[in-house]
Every structure is written in structure tokens, then in C-alpha cells.
Amino acid sequence: MRLTYEISADPARLDVPLVHHWLSTDAYWALGRTLAKQEAAIAGSLNFGAYDTADGTQHAYARVVTDLATFGWLCDVYVAPAARGHGLGTRLVEAVRDHLTPYGLRRILLATADAHGVYAKLGFEPLADPQKWMALGLQ
């Protein structure tokens, strides 16, 4: 039986302990992240969840750090292992992109070690001029 999902940006629907568990134990970029740090990240971001339409359980998560005017950073995209392989990650990122389109952001960035193909299907491309970009790594 194939599950059907509803994607929502309603922060009240998030299963925060579940999202924290996923990211802090299974996401290479967030291993060991504390619950307090995750809660702060959620509070300062636009959040998306994918929920089983039958029982409301959350199966995926993504967040965007944005000013809703010029820039967005898509991060913490995660699909539960049992829900992988059915296009849910693509649908989630597509919903995020479509949600942000009316704001007219100039740029939405993301970083990935292994999902370039997923994002490319939705219009993301490698930076055309990466030598212009810099980062300040504080930890």
C-alpha cells in the first residue's frame, strides 16, 4: 500500500522530538545536535513537514532560513528511512520551492553531499561563480 502525504508549513504540526531524533542521529550534517539547538533552529525558520494523510504522522521535514524578501537557505531536508524511494523528498522540496516563489527571492541556496540529482530535477544548479562565495565556520 502506497502512502499519500500532505505537505504543510504549519509549525504547530511538527513532531519536534521526532525531527530532532532524525537529524541528531541519522543526518550527517546534524549528528549530535541538541534538542535545544533544534528548537531554536525551528523557531528561526520556515518549516515544512510531510504527513501521512491517513493518520497524520510525520514522514519528512525541511526548513528554510529566509528573510522572505531576497534570500533563502534550504536545509535539514530529511525523509524517514521507511518513506524513502517513493519521491517524497522531491515532492517536499518542490512544495518548498513553490511556497517561496511568490516572494520573489533572488536566490535559494543549499548544500548537499549526495543528493545533487534530486535537487537538479527541481531547478537547482551548482554555483556558477563559487569563488565569489565565502563562509565563516564558527564551529
Side-chain angles (χ1 to χ4, degrees), residues 59-126:
H59 289 252
Y61 173 74
R63 70 184 180 94
V64 180
V65 180
T66 182
D67 58 11
L68 294 176
T70 62
F71 178 80
W73 174 45
L74 175 61
C75 54
D76 287 348
V77 178
Y78 186 90
V79 176
R84 293 178 187 164
H86 303 287
L88 181 56
T90 300
R91 285 186 47 219
L92 177 62
V93 174
E94 182 178 42
V96 170
R97 181 199 64 197
D98 293 351
H99 183 95
L100 294 173
T101 296
Y103 294 99
L105 304 183
R106 181 173 180 200
R107 183 172 287 116
I108 301 170
L109 293 180
L110 63 84
T112 184
D114 56 4
H116 295 80
V118 171
Y119 297 108
K121 288 189 290 186
L122 298 167
F124 286 86
E125 302 173 343

Side-chain angles (χ1 to χ4, degrees), residues 4-8 13 49-53 91:
T4 57
Y5 299 97
E6 174 188 8
I7 297 172
S8 172
R13 293 187 67 185
Y51 305 91
D52 181 341
T53 56
R91 285 186 47 219

